[in-house]
Amino acid sequence: MGEILALLVLVGKLKVVSSALEQIRDRLTDDGPAPARPSSHKWSVAIAVMLGATLEVLDTSIVNVSLPHMQGSFSASRDEVTWIVTSYIVTNGIMIPLTGWISARFGRKRYFLFSVVVFVIASGLCGAAASLTQIVVFRLLQGAAGAAMIPSSQAIMMEAFPPEEQSLAMSVWGMGLLTSPMLGPTLGGWITYNWSWRWNFYINLPIGILAAVMVTIFVHDPEHIRKSQAAARKIDYIGIIYLALGLGLLQIVLDRGQRSDWFSSPWVCVSIAVAAVSLVVLVVHELRFPEPILDLSILRLPLFDIPVTVILAMILAVYGMNLLNPLFFQELLDYSPWKSGLAVLPRGFGTLIGMLLIGQLSRRGFDIRWLVGVGFVVLTYALWSMGEWTLDVSITTVRAAMILSGLGSGLIFPALSAASLACVEKERMGYAASLFNMVRNTGSAIGISLVSNLLNSREQIHQAYLTEHFTPFDAWRLDLMSPSRMPGSPHFGLVQGLVAQHAQGFGVTYQTIQRQASLLAYNDIYRMLAMIVALFVPAFLLLKKTAGRAGGAH
């Protein structure tokens, strides 16, 4: 209780500081309208919005490694404690598409600042939670508040940078978006093991306060946002209800459907049916409503649809890979969570290199479309090489694949992000960013769910095949072979232990079969992801030629 009271006092001080900063800024600036593109402070604007956006993405994965510790703290079952993750994902998925409409109605800066403040409050409350019910409710609030930071930060950065530097802006934006999910489990594990799982939430407080201060000082609403605020608007309550039902139920099914064996469970069938009907009715309603919450007319622009479709394939593969890599390292190579995080870390360096290359080339007037094709080739090769991993794969081989996968995604993401929004006029930029991130968020959920389901099914298939073709006589024959004839083969010891340790010998045999079945399942999925990515190598030919400019909508 004392921690909650202290947090409320801190929030009060934060509001006072924000109010004071608003007054100082008003005195130092003219009374006229704020510039639509504050290019003189573009890097300050970028840092301000990226602090909040990075926190939001980081919190989707930082708590995953802490779930066993939370389970003990709240005396919860394994299934119950996973609602801490599900609650965040569901409200986040619902609120992301609403961001453009809310920003146009109440002001982008005001909504972004409100989201940062509420996110900080919710983070502190999560850290101080005394029960599972409390932390699930606070995570719902945290996910709803954090949803605005991703599309808003993207739209703000696209308008803060001149057209020839918009790919550079999306490179900076993508660094936080793609590297945070990789750093989350590593950072969360280190904090949990050295401090406490509660500090995974408390670390958001100082960073969030800094983000709120910088947004207050440097971020301004462009003129078109001011005009949209002044216009009278109807509230599309029906559309909001359909959106919440459709996307909310879809996110729940994607996150928890596997635990219930998918469509063999009645609640999954009912939820999918309700979600499908809600989304269909939503589309029909939004196309007819005069002031919709989703501007679906943007989907009529081929220059928007093509980059979004291509980036959906990349997101599906990258998030699926993000799930597979730590599991492979910890389950099959016996890495600790910390060592597993260090093994994945080189991907962040590859992403950084790719995005910096894209940003600098576009800034100097080069046509960067072909680098999207190169990125898909590199990502395909990286995923296919992961499909060749064995149980004795070296750390050097792992790091090389990590760097290449990061480089490939770093070459793809900024160019497609900039291309998707550059074709939209600035008055609809917020709506376009909301649609873009709705597709990105749904694609990541589908990728994680698809990979999880494939992993289980492929393990069962390979285990059934291996046990069908393995008998005690095969174990006896392998045991009699010398290591020189079959290097690396397991030594079962069945000849000497037929009587004394017969059951134990078969137990070791079955464990070996399980590990080999898991290895083959991982190999299969990595290759499947590689083939999906390879299909989009020629997609860069469909993109509009940039010649260093992000588009002609400005």
Side-chain angles (χ1 to χ4, degrees):
M1 190 65 184
E3 292 175 324
I4 296 178
L5 290 175
L7 178 65
L8 293 176
V9 172
L10 178 62
V11 171
K13 293 180 179 179
L14 176 61
K15 291 182 178 178
V16 173
V17 171
S18 298
S19 177
L21 288 170
E22 287 276 11
Q23 294 176 9
I24 293 171
R25 192 209 63 196
D26 292 340
R27 291 174 183 176
L28 293 177
T29 55
D30 295 329
D31 293 333
R37 181 181 293 120
S39 57
S40 59
H41 300 293
K42 60 186 178 184
W43 289 111
S44 299
V45 171
I47 294 173
V49 298
M50 283 307 302
L51 284 174
T54 302
L55 280 183
E56 193 278 335
V57 180
L58 191 66
D59 269 49
T60 60
S61 60
I62 194 172
V63 301
N64 292 355
V65 73
S66 306
L67 290 180
H69 299 266
M70 296 181 186
Q71 184 179 348
S73 297
F74 299 130
S75 300
S77 67
R78 183 177 180 182
D79 184 67
E80 289 173 340
V81 79
T82 55
W83 278 102
I84 296 174
V85 177
T86 303
S87 57
Y88 185 93
I89 293 173
V90 170
T91 53
N92 198 263
I94 294 172
M95 292 302 295
I96 282 177
L98 290 172
T99 300
W101 176 78
I102 297 175
S103 298
R105 185 175 182 84
F106 299 103
R108 185 186 292 160
K109 174 184 177 177
R110 182 180 299 172
Y111 183 39
F112 192 94
L113 189 59
F114 174 80
S115 298
V116 173
V117 172
V118 175
F119 187 86
V120 170
I121 295 172
S123 297
L125 291 174
C126 287
S131 68
L132 181 64
T133 302
Q134 286 183 7
I135 195 170
V136 169
V137 171
F138 297 149
R139 284 283 281 178
L140 284 169
L141 180 62
Q142 189 187 38
M149 299 185 197
I150 299 299
S152 294
S153 62
Q154 186 182 21
I156 289 170
M157 290 184 66
M158 283 290 289
E159 294 189 8
F161 284 74
E164 64 272 11
E165 295 183 356
Q166 286 179 345
S167 292
L168 175 63
M170 290 300 95
S171 297
V172 176
W173 184 73
M175 289 177 195
L177 202 67
L178 294 184
T179 57
S180 294
M182 294 181 283
L183 296 177
T186 305
L187 180 61
W190 187 87
I191 291 173
T192 300
Y193 292 129
N194 289 278
W195 295 343
S196 166
W197 63 263
R198 298 183 184 274
W199 280 97
N200 286 325
F201 299 104
Y202 289 146
I203 62 170
N204 292 339
L205 271 63
I207 302 175
I209 291 173
L210 177 61
V213 172
M214 294 190 68
V215 168
T216 301
I217 296 174
F218 295 111
V219 176
H220 305 269
D221 278 341
E223 186 62 27
H224 66 85
I225 292 290
R226 293 173 176 270
K227 291 179 180 179
S228 66
Q229 283 183 260
R233 289 180 177 274
K234 298 179 180 179
I235 298 179
D236 185 9
Y237 293 107
I238 296 178
I240 294 174
I241 293 173
Y242 285 140
L243 178 69
L245 276 176
L247 289 182
L249 290 174
L250 179 62
Q251 291 285 349
I252 292 175
V253 169
L254 291 174
D255 188 63
R256 307 187 66 84
Q258 184 181 346
R259 298 181 178 90
S260 302
D261 199 18
W262 294 109
F263 292 101
S264 62
S265 175
W267 79 263
V268 172
C269 298
V270 172
S271 298
I272 284 293
V274 174
V277 172
S278 299
L279 292 175
V280 171
V281 175
L282 172 68
V283 171
V284 175
H285 174 76
E286 293 300 287
L287 292 175
R288 295 178 177 179
F289 197 78
E291 299 178 17
I293 56 175
L294 297 177
D295 189 355
L296 298 180
S297 63
I298 295 175
L299 298 177
R300 298 172 183 169
L301 301 174
L303 294 178
F304 178 83
D305 296 338
I306 293 172
V308 168
T309 303
V310 176
I311 211 166
L312 177 63
M314 189 214 80
I315 289 293
L316 188 148
V318 168
Y319 274 79
M321 178 177 58
N322 286 345
L323 174 69
L324 288 176
N325 289 154
L327 292 176
F328 183 91
F329 298 146
Q330 295 178 42
E331 292 182 0
L332 298 184
L333 303 185
D334 297 324
Y335 284 11
S336 65
W338 174 246
K339 186 177 180 181
S340 174
L342 292 179
V344 176
L345 190 60
R347 187 187 304 152
F349 297 116
T351 303
L352 181 65
I353 294 170
M355 290 188 172
L356 288 177
L357 178 62
I358 285 284
Q360 293 303 318
L361 288 179
S362 65
R363 193 178 187 182
R364 286 164 171 76
F366 289 93
D367 182 7
I368 57 174
R369 290 181 305 165
W370 63 276
L371 286 174
V372 175
V374 172
F376 274 109
V377 170
V378 173
L379 185 57
T380 300
Y381 177 79
L383 286 166
W384 193 266
S385 67
M386 294 177 193
E388 303 295 325
W389 284 351
T390 63
L391 296 178
D392 58 352
V393 61
S394 67
I395 189 64
T396 303
T397 302
V398 168
R399 287 171 179 165
M402 292 295 106
I403 292 174
L404 288 176
S405 63
L407 178 63
S409 58
L411 292 174
I412 297 168
F413 191 79
L416 292 177
S417 300
S420 62
L421 298 190
C423 64
V424 181
E425 56 269 22
K426 60 184 179 181
E427 289 78 11
R428 297 198 294 170
M429 184 77 72
Y431 289 96
S434 296
L435 286 175
F436 175 90
N437 285 282
M438 181 184 72
V439 173
R440 177 196 59 81
N441 190 65
T442 305
S444 64
I446 292 174
I448 291 172
S449 180
L450 177 64
V451 166
S452 299
N453 189 52
L454 281 173
L455 186 60
N456 288 335
S457 61
R458 297 304 298 176
E459 281 181 351
Q460 294 171 4
I461 291 172
H462 284 297
Q463 184 173 326
Y465 181 82
L466 291 175
T467 52
E468 181 182 347
H469 293 81
F470 191 89
T471 67
F473 300 103
D474 295 313
W476 195 326
R477 177 173 55 82
L478 292 174
D479 190 45
L480 295 178
M481 290 184 177
S482 63
S484 60
R485 293 181 59 186
M486 187 174 288
S489 62
H491 187 78
F492 297 103
L494 290 179
V495 177
Q496 294 82 9
L498 281 175
V499 178
Q501 298 178 344
H502 193 64
Q504 182 179 355
F506 279 115
V508 174
T509 303
Y510 181 66
Q511 184 180 10
T512 302
I513 291 175
Q514 281 186 313
R515 286 174 63 85
Q516 291 296 325
S518 296
L519 174 64
L520 293 172
Y522 279 101
N523 292 156
D524 288 348
I525 300 173
Y526 280 131
R527 293 188 184 110
M528 290 178 189
L529 293 177
M531 288 187 283
I532 292 173
V533 172
L535 293 175
F536 289 86
V537 170
F540 75 96
L541 298 173
L542 301 175
L543 300 177
K544 183 179 179 181
K545 186 176 181 180
T546 59
R549 297 181 66 85
H554 300 276

